[in-house]
Amino acid sequence: MKPPRWANWLLETFGHPDTREEVQGDLLELYAYWEQTMGVRQARWRYSLNVLKLMRPLAKRKSTEYPTIFFLSPIMLRNYLKIALRNLVKNKAYSFINIGGLAMGMAVAILIGLWIYDELSYDKYFQNYDRIAKVMQTGTFNGEVFHGEYNPAPMGPELRTVYASDFTHVIMSSWTRDHILAFGDKKFTKTGNYLSADAPDMLTLKMISGTRAGLKDPASILLSESVAQALFGTSDPVGKLMKIDNKLDVKVTGVYEDFPYNTEFRDMKFIAPWDLYASSEGWVKRAQDNVEWGNFSWQVLAQIAPNTTVDAVSEKIKNIRLKHSPESAFIKPKVYLQPMRNWHLYSGWDKSGNLEGRIQYVWLFGIIGVFVLLLACINFMNLSTARSEKRAKEVGIRKAVGSVRSQLIGQFFSESLLVAVFAFGLSILLVLLILPLFNEVADKQVGILWTNPVFWLSGLGFSLLTGLIAGSYPALYLSSFQAVKVLKGTFRVGRFASIPRQVLVVVQFTVSVTLIIGTIIVFRQIEHAKSRPVGYDRSGLITVAMNTPELHEHYNALRDDLIRTGTVLDMSTSSTPATDLNSQNSGFDWVGKDPGFKDNFGTIAVTHDFGKTVGWQFAQGRDFSRQFPSDSSGMVLNETAVRYMGIKDPVGKQVKWNGKPYRVVGVIKDMLMASPFEPVYQTVYVLDYGWANVINIKLNPSRSTSESLASIESVFRKFNPGSPFDYRFTDQQYALKFAAEERIGKLASGFAILAIFISCLGLFGLASFVAEQRTKEIGVRKVLGASVTNVWLMLSKDFVILVIIAFGIATPIAWYFLGNWLQKYEYRTELSWWIFAVSGVGALLVTLLTVSFQSIKAALINPVKSLRSE
Amino acid sequence: MKRAFLGEFEEVVLLTVAVLDEGAYGVNITQEIEQKTGRSVGFSTVHTTLQRLEEKGFLSSQMGGATAERGGRRKRFFTVTAAGRKALQEVKQVREELWGALPPQTLQLMGG
């Protein structure tokens, strides 16, 4: 008997070819043996069973070739990383450009991200964030909607009693101002507020010692940790007696943790009870006791009850003002609540009544951040794809020696991922380096969110994404090449392969040129406003707060003494410094006034010497003078006020203010006291020695400033011993008006420079790649008689064309957006053509510089060298 | 390099090949194992084990002459390589060391 035929067939067909012969032999031998020992049936059975077990899927295959290792196995991963690292080290310049550029882009994105995070988390420190609101007033004047956070004194009690069920807390608040805090000999000027007694609960103060209830005692004060430290050092301040503004005796009843920098209350370094304020300031007491609904001088904060919403409460309280001052009906007054989440980012309203504010900068920077990052990614992608074309041969060889496609994909991806992760690490270092400078420029206190998992996840996630996208071209496209084609030497990457790269370069330069134009225009606008005539002389002008009873009492003696020292040319007091306009009043009447006219004027109280001190200039009439006692009811108008009132020859005419007659003695050229970007406000100046908040001092220009200040300080010490001598230079105060714009300008220019730098870095890399790719061509051209200039032109031309296209795209974009931005400012610069020209030429020059290095290098190569290999 | 793992059955097969010396091929290896250990082993099992041991480098093989009873097919003769010998010795040494480390009373209990 023979073994079963089907089993033989199976073995013939499916047995492993390498071992088929001996297996069949062995099995036949065994079959013979089994037949003898166990009988035919048993032998056939065993034979079949063994054949089945030897079928290829069941039996271990004996392979003669090397096994293919799964492309994500640890061994392969180690191999990829090793080769990737070697590649990075081998092409140092390329790696530097790639990692450095990407890291810079990431660093900018991280900084902007931190900035935005900080902006968005403003005030979130407060536990009742969602329920705290500011009481606001709005109305319509001559068709123009205005909003204000000034409230009358009875607003708080009204809300607290009439609407008790809608509020958990209602807080009266003074404005955060400089006050003198004194303990024994130690005296400091610190900013702080007077608040209602339950404010610490609403603000959920974190007490370090004492209790939140401390403010309930009307002669108490709560200090922030930093102030407590300054005044009391390490000793426990609770229970100590101290003085506010040299007149109010208070007892420290608590110390609270300083508010974080990104809160509206960050300057509130101490809190004193509202009741103390109301009882010590006559005008506040009057306003409160007489229930004056017409004096809008305070802030009212509130926390709404848990069962209601800001909108619902706003709806309920909207008519409070109308109810108490029906005569204001013509401005359609409305009271409403502004929730805390809007305080910082949506603090204003545009002309059509939509909320606006810093949120536009959040968007602006967000967009810039995305674009800078995009630039860096484009570089990365461009350079990877450009370089990877050089590696086509490598792909061929790898395939020829047995690489499978998945391994090549793994290899290319791991290289780009490695670069991206390195760049992320480097960007963290860069951010750490730049942060101090950034915080200073941006007026922030942000730091890396070391403990925030979202920060790390998004950072790493982004790095991985970049790596994957940048590596996708070489990984997916190059790995598909057939080894034979590539190695034969006839292989060419398609002639359109460089098109995407060119498009990306155009995108890069469009962004860069737009940013350059934007930056120039922002700075032009700032310069424009800075050089605006202000109508007074701010050089050598200083102001000192008139915040103690001693100063009021000894004002004349102080002035005489100061002028006698020779360091002071003149001195005067006024209700506001020259750089501020913070009181407006209505109730004016004059002959020819239209009854429905919005008679709102800026009102400034000055003394006789004010004009000489600040150097205002007269268009008509004369300054206040001691020679005319009737000047005590005199009035000086600014030119805008005259135009606004529509009276001709105002000098000598009568203007009534709240029924009291004033005679116009002069008209001054407009003094710019408010925003340098806005038109000058109509303003009246009256003589009033009682309504003085600041002392204005004009220094003698022939003395050195430090010497003058020292002698002025000693005179102040004599008359005002209880206070530190704190002064402000008017020109510095004036410069502060540009702080917000300058901050934005500086940040934007920083980002613009980085953007153009990153773009150039990419260009540099691309140029070197092109030069290298065309080495042979350049060699041939040189042999045939091309000069260095010819070659330089040939290589640079392509890039110059791209930049010109980018400029063409950027110009209308910049024109549109910056035109819109400038509309915001009443006093604005023009979009001059030369700004665009300068940006374009600048970008072109930078491009040429970048590219020339590589192209001249390529042009100078001896053709003998470049052509020798073939 | 890491020491290659030698399974129990692999050890038996390797040893058998060593025992059979020059003439070790599929059939007599299978029969030898059946006779010496008294366990019934399928040829396929032995065959795959031989392949594996060769892959691991413990065995090498060459084709021998053909015989009539095999339908004219050649035999594949296996020989133990140096690595194979070393592996066997290591296994033996480990066993001996472990036996040697047995405390005397345990040895007595086990009937040794």
Side-chain angles (χ1 to χ4, degrees):
Chain A
M1 266 310 263
K2 287 279 170 201
R5 283 197 23 218
W6 63 269
N8 272 338
W9 175 83
L10 264 183
L11 201 60
E12 293 271 347
T13 321
F14 297 108
H16 196 278
D18 288 348
T19 58
R20 195 156 49 211
E21 185 183 350
E22 73 260 21
V23 165
Q24 275 188 322
D26 283 358
L27 273 178
L28 280 174
E29 209 181 317
L30 279 168
Y31 181 78
Y33 168 74
W34 288 328
E35 213 180 36
Q36 273 176 12
T37 50
M38 298 172 225
V40 179
R41 218 164 60 94
Q42 185 63 250
R44 282 174 72 97
W45 164 241
R46 285 205 170 192
Y47 187 89
S48 313
L49 197 69
N50 273 304
V51 167
L52 278 177
K53 280 189 181 171
L54 282 165
M55 284 305 93
R56 247 199 284 183
L58 301 173
K60 175 95 170 73
R61 173 167 64 117
K62 186 189 175 194
S63 82
T64 46
E65 66 211 49
Y66 283 104
T68 307
I69 301 175
F70 178 54
F71 78 105
L72 280 181
S73 70
I75 299 169
M76 281 317 283
L77 288 180
R78 207 166 59 187
N79 181 275
Y80 298 149
L81 281 183
K82 206 184 269 177
I83 292 177
L85 272 175
R86 284 177 188 165
N87 264 325
L88 285 180
V89 174
K90 197 174 134 202
N91 306 300
K92 285 190 192 71
Y94 159 79
S95 314
F96 174 76
I97 291 178
N98 234 352
I99 298 179
L102 194 58
M104 239 180 277
M106 283 181 173
V108 170
I110 292 174
L111 284 176
I112 291 181
L114 291 175
W115 189 87
I116 291 179
Y117 177 83
D118 187 71
E119 288 285 315
L120 295 183
S121 58
Y122 228 82
D123 286 331
K124 291 216 168 132
Y125 171 80
F126 301 105
Q127 282 169 30
N128 301 322
Y129 175 77
D130 290 326
R131 316 211 69 82
I132 296 178
K134 232 182 241 176
V135 178
M136 302 281 289
Q137 311 266 344
T138 177
T140 316
F141 240 153
N142 291 356
E144 223 174 89
V145 178
F146 67 89
H147 296 262
E149 46 185 315
Y150 300 85
N151 282 280
M155 180 66 83
E158 169 103 356
L159 293 178
R160 214 174 280 139
T161 50
V162 181
Y163 301 92
S165 63
D166 293 311
F167 294 100
T168 315
H169 301 287
V170 177
I171 308 292
M172 290 301 295
S173 168
S174 68
W175 300 88
T176 307
R177 299 183 73 156
D178 283 355
H179 293 277
I180 298 160
L181 297 186
F183 173 68
D185 296 336
K186 286 189 182 161
K187 297 185 175 78
F188 296 99
T189 304
K190 296 282 176 192
T191 48
N193 279 43
Y194 291 95
L195 296 177
S196 302
D198 49 343
D201 283 329
M202 183 179 88
L203 298 177
T204 51
L205 288 195
K206 295 193 175 123
M207 301 306 294
I208 291 168
S209 56
T211 65
R212 287 183 189 167
L215 222 50
K216 297 215 160 79
D217 172 0
S220 64
I221 186 170
L222 299 181
L223 300 178
S224 69
E225 198 183 352
S226 57
V227 168
Q229 189 99 46
L231 274 175
F232 298 98
T234 49
S235 64
D236 182 19
V238 174
K240 298 260 168 62
L241 291 171
M242 53 179 284
K243 264 184 193 294
I244 305 177
D245 289 340
N246 288 344
K247 56 182 179 192
L248 304 174
D249 289 302
V250 287
K251 192 171 78 179
V252 181
T253 51
V255 176
Y256 59 90
E257 182 190 289
D258 282 17
F259 292 114
Y261 203 68
N262 61 347
T263 59
E264 292 288 319
F265 296 99
R266 74 175 186 216
D267 292 328
M268 202 160 81
K269 301 294 187 196
F270 71 88
I271 304 173
W274 170 266
D275 290 342
L276 176 67
Y277 175 62
S279 60
S280 65
E281 301 272 341
W283 62 288
V284 181
K285 193 171 166 56
R286 264 195 312 281
Q288 192 163 292
D289 294 350
N290 302 346
V291 196
E292 282 176 13
W293 280 90
N295 184 346
F296 290 75
S297 301
W298 299 276
Q299 230 178 350
V300 180
L301 307 173
Q303 182 184 337
I304 56 167
N307 54 356
T308 184
T309 65
V310 167
D311 290 338
V313 177
S314 293
E315 190 57 29
K316 276 190 178 176
I317 64 172
K318 69 177 178 188
N319 284 326
I320 291 185
R321 183 172 173 196
L322 197 60
K323 190 173 95 188
H324 292 282
S325 16
E327 71 281 0
S328 65
F330 73 102
I331 58 162
K332 300 192 200 80
K334 229 169 92 178
V335 177
Y336 67 98
L337 294 178
Q338 187 192 30
M340 191 178 230
R341 64 171 173 279
N342 284 356
W343 289 4
H344 183 65
L345 290 177
Y346 298 91
S347 55
W349 287 263
D350 66 7
K351 281 165 191 156
S352 44
N354 297 316
L355 283 173
E356 63 163 27
R358 288 179 69 89
I359 189 72
Q360 55 183 332
Y361 293 126
V362 172
W363 279 108
L364 175 74
F365 282 147
I367 291 168
I368 292 181
V370 169
F371 272 117
V372 173
L373 197 54
L374 189 72
L375 295 187
C377 292
I378 288 177
N379 270 355
F380 185 26
M381 256 183 278
N382 269 352
L383 288 179
S384 320
T385 54
R387 273 207 61 82
S388 59
E389 279 173 14
K390 276 185 74 175
R391 294 176 68 177
K393 269 217 170 83
E394 180 191 330
V395 171
I397 291 172
R398 276 168 179 268
K399 281 202 167 176
V401 299
S403 240
V404 281
R405 189 164 174 207
S406 60
Q407 289 168 347
L408 284 169
I409 291 178
Q411 177 64 53
F412 282 118
F413 271 136
S414 49
E415 278 179 29
S416 58
L417 284 176
L418 194 69
V419 169
V421 169
F422 273 159
F424 180 64
L426 191 61
S427 71
I428 297 284
L429 284 179
L430 278 177
V431 168
L432 281 177
L433 274 175
I434 306 170
L435 259 182
L437 179 71
F438 178 80
N439 275 332
E440 199 185 309
V441 174
D443 186 28
K444 291 247 173 239
Q445 286 183 359
V446 296
I448 288 191
L449 309 166
W450 295 112
T451 52
N452 189 334
V454 177
F455 174 79
W456 294 108
L457 283 180
S458 51
L460 282 175
F462 176 79
S463 312
L464 292 184
L465 193 71
T466 320
L468 283 179
I469 293 173
S472 58
Y473 172 85
L476 301 179
Y477 177 60
L478 290 181
S479 64
S480 69
F481 292 160
Q482 285 181 335
V484 183
K485 275 192 189 164
V486 185
L487 292 179
K488 253 195 204 159
T490 52
F491 173 80
R492 289 219 78 66
V493 180
R495 48 189 278 244
F496 299 112
S498 62
I499 295 268
R501 275 203 292 281
Q502 290 173 343
V503 172
L504 291 178
V505 169
V506 169
V507 172
Q508 277 188 320
F509 272 83
T510 306
V511 174
S512 302
V513 172
T514 312
L515 281 175
I516 295 174
I517 298 175
T519 311
I520 295 180
I521 288 177
V522 169
F523 275 107
R524 286 272 304 159
Q525 168 68 7
I526 295 169
E527 279 310 310
H528 180 67
K530 267 189 177 168
S531 58
R532 182 178 182 181
V534 292
Y536 63 95
D537 182 14
R538 54 178 189 266
S539 65
L541 192 61
I542 60 172
T543 56
V544 179
M546 208 170 180
N547 52 4
T548 62
E550 289 89 346
L551 282 178
H552 285 274
E553 207 177 310
H554 306 296
Y555 173 70
N556 286 324
L558 176 73
R559 178 166 189 270
D560 292 344
D561 269 19
L562 279 176
I563 289 180
R564 208 171 297 132
T565 61
T567 53
V568 170
L569 282 189
D570 222 323
M571 173 172 147
S572 60
T573 71
S574 56
S575 56
T576 58
T579 46
D580 274 321
L581 175 67
N582 46 21
S583 60
Q584 293 172 16
N585 278 280
S586 51
F588 289 87
D589 202 5
W590 61 90
V591 179
K593 184 196 165 200
D594 181 349
F597 196 74
K598 168 198 166 194
D599 57 330
N600 217 43
F601 289 86
T603 40
I604 315 282
V606 300
T607 52
H608 278 100
D609 316 291
F610 181 76
K612 275 178 285 162
T613 316
V614 301
W616 64 13
Q617 296 145 26
F618 276 83
Q620 293 172 46
R622 56 170 178 84
D623 201 350
F624 295 116
S625 165
R626 289 195 172 85
Q627 291 175 347
F628 300 93
S630 64
D631 276 3
S632 60
S633 61
M635 184 181 266
V636 167
L637 303 176
N638 70 1
E639 284 180 311
T640 304
V642 174
R643 261 193 314 267
Y644 184 73
M645 295 159 88
I647 41 177
K648 283 192 179 116
D649 300 325
V651 176
K653 298 230 166 100
Q654 201 186 53
V655 174
K656 278 187 179 163
W657 180 16
N658 290 331
K660 188 186 168 198
Y662 288 87
R663 189 157 299 277
V664 178
V665 298
V667 176
I668 55 154
K669 292 190 175 158
D670 282 345
M671 239 175 95
L672 183 64
M673 301 182 77
S675 164
F677 302 104
E678 299 295 322
V680 171
Y681 203 71
Q682 57 274 10
T683 308
V684 304
Y685 301 84
V686 295
L687 269 185
D688 190 336
Y689 277 77
W691 184 12
N693 290 321
V694 292
I695 298 173
N696 306 295
I697 297 171
K698 179 77 169 180
L699 302 177
N700 186 344
S702 56
R703 302 289 186 89
S704 88
T705 309
S706 56
E707 195 188 307
S708 303
L709 287 172
S711 87
I712 294 172
E713 179 170 10
S714 66
V715 177
F716 262 84
R717 283 241 176 286
K718 198 170 97 192
F719 290 102
N720 191 31
S723 327
F725 176 64
D726 283 316
Y727 54 88
R728 299 223 160 106
F729 280 98
T730 302
D731 44 9
Q732 280 172 8
Q733 293 298 108
Y734 186 73
L736 282 182
K737 292 174 185 281
F738 304 92
E741 270 75 17
E742 269 183 336
R743 208 163 273 149
I744 302 298
K746 275 186 195 159
L747 287 177
S749 61
F751 296 144
I753 290 170
L754 275 177
I756 188 105
F757 182 74
I758 292 173
S759 305
C760 285
L761 216 54
L763 217 50
F764 186 80
L766 272 187
S768 73
F769 162 71
V770 169
E772 208 173 304
Q773 207 182 29
R774 296 171 77 173
T775 313
K776 288 235 162 63
E777 180 196 330
I778 293 166
V780 173
R781 278 172 191 268
K782 285 189 83 174
V783 169
L784 293 178
S787 67
V788 172
T789 324
N790 288 346
V791 175
W792 174 71
L793 270 178
M794 177 191 87
L795 289 176
S796 308
K797 197 184 66 196
D798 294 350
F799 291 104
V800 169
I801 289 172
L802 295 182
V803 173
I804 289 174
I805 295 175
F807 178 68
I809 300 174
T811 305
I813 297 177
W815 188 279
Y816 175 76
F817 282 106
L818 290 158
N820 274 357
W821 178 73
L822 281 178
Q823 288 302 314
K824 213 172 67 149
Y825 299 101
E826 293 286 341
Y827 188 81
R828 58 178 178 259
T829 179
E830 294 301 315
L831 290 175
S832 323
W833 64 271
W834 65 262
I835 296 173
F836 293 86
V838 163
S839 316
V841 172
L844 212 57
L845 281 179
V846 172
T847 310
L848 275 179
L849 271 178
T850 313
V851 176
S852 293
F853 178 77
Q854 295 292 354
S855 48
I856 291 176
K857 202 169 94 180
L860 288 176
I861 294 177
N862 186 349
V864 173
K865 265 188 197 156
S866 58
L867 295 176
R868 191 155 51 188
S869 65
E870 277 175 27
Chain B
M1 211 189 98
K2 225 168 66 181
R3 202 170 67 93
F5 177 73
L6 198 56
E8 187 264 350
F9 191 67
E10 285 176 344
E11 189 190 335
V12 171
V13 173
L14 195 55
L15 263 176
T16 313
V17 174
V19 168
L20 290 172
D21 200 16
E22 294 279 298
Y25 75 101
V27 175
N28 65 356
I29 296 169
T30 315
Q31 288 170 342
E32 183 77 9
I33 293 172
E34 275 183 344
Q35 280 164 20
K36 288 278 160 64
T37 64
R39 64 206 237 191
S40 157
V41 279
F43 167 75
S44 55
T45 323
V46 176
H47 175 73
T48 45
T49 310
L50 286 169
Q51 301 297 324
R52 197 155 60 233
L53 285 169
E54 195 173 1
E55 266 172 45
K56 288 184 177 180
F58 294 152
L59 287 176
S60 63
S61 67
Q62 10 351 100
M63 300 305 278
T67 48
E69 60 178 330
R70 300 168 60 88
R73 293 182 180 87
R74 291 179 293 168
K75 290 175 184 169
R76 182 181 287 276
F77 288 105
F78 292 91
T79 40
V80 180
T81 60
R85 280 198 293 276
K86 196 165 162 245
L88 279 176
Q89 253 148 13
E90 269 176 27
V91 170
K92 183 171 173 247
Q93 197 188 342
V94 168
R95 300 262 155 98
E96 274 170 356
E97 269 170 24
L98 284 173
W99 276 109
L102 270 184
Q105 60 270 40
T106 321
L107 206 58
Q108 270 176 351
L109 280 173
M110 289 169 78

